[in-house]
Amino acid sequence: MQENHSSSHSPGSLVALRHAIWPYILCLVWGIWWGGLCFYAVVVVPIGTELIGSVEQGFITQQVTQWHNALSILAVLCLCIEAGRRRSRLLWGTGAILAIVVVCEFVWHIRLTALMDFQDQSVPEHFYGEHAIYLWMTAVEWGIGLLLPVYFFASGAEQMKSVESESTQ
């Protein structure tokens, strides 16, 4: 007697699989984006500053920040997808704020990069005042990132219950 495996590929099970994978992707993107920011700020920058100096570390950070900014765009896109999935005005608003912060960081990063002398590995004295503004923007980004999992996981349990009930129907 041959076992029927067609039920494992039914539309309901594919929907359940898609619903199960998306939170995992969302968690991974958030972890890389926000966790990377935290790890770099708390571990890498202080060690680099101690070993090679703050100006030299700044030139490394200038390169790393380009990657972080790209990850920030991915995080905003995922947040917008999740806001659409949940039809959540709170998430749309949070996504809009985060998008504005990320755009401002992009613009400010270009401004800071223009002040850097890559040949001599130096920056003008007023660079640090400009950099402080960038750090405040990053603090806002960090704060938003800190709050997102609270919302995702608090309502995630309810979503999983509804997905499970949909897939069994």
Side-chain angles (χ1 to χ4, degrees), residues 109-129:
H109 190 267
I110 291 167
R111 180 182 176 119
L112 291 173
T113 299
L115 294 174
M116 300 171 81
D117 184 340
F118 287 84
Q119 180 121 11
D120 292 333
Q121 294 268 306
S122 64
V123 295
E125 191 63 36
H126 71 280
F127 176 87
Y128 297 102

Side-chain angles (χ1 to χ4, degrees), residues 93-115:
T94 304
I97 293 168
L98 183 57
I100 290 166
V101 169
V102 168
V103 167
C104 290
E105 285 176 328
F106 264 100
V107 170
W108 216 258
H109 190 267
I110 291 167
R111 180 182 176 119
L112 291 173
T113 299
L115 294 174

Side-chain angles (χ1 to χ4, degrees), residues 35-65 68 127-128 131 134-135 138:
L37 175 63
C38 292
F39 183 79
Y40 193 78
V42 172
V43 176
V44 177
V45 171
I47 291 172
T49 299
E50 183 179 316
L51 293 177
I52 63 174
S54 65
V55 173
E56 294 81 359
Q57 174 60 44
F59 281 86
I60 294 170
T61 298
Q62 187 274 341
Q63 296 293 308
V64 171
T65 305
H68 176 73
F127 176 87
Y128 297 102
H131 186 260
Y134 188 86
L135 292 177
T138 304

Side-chain angles (χ1 to χ4, degrees), residues 14 22 31 33 43 59 78 83 85 95 116 138 142 146 160 163 168:
L14 291 176
W22 173 248
W33 163 69
V43 176
F59 281 86
C78 286
R85 286 182 70 236
M116 300 171 81
T138 304
W142 179 85
L146 183 66
M160 287 308 291
V163 168
T168 58

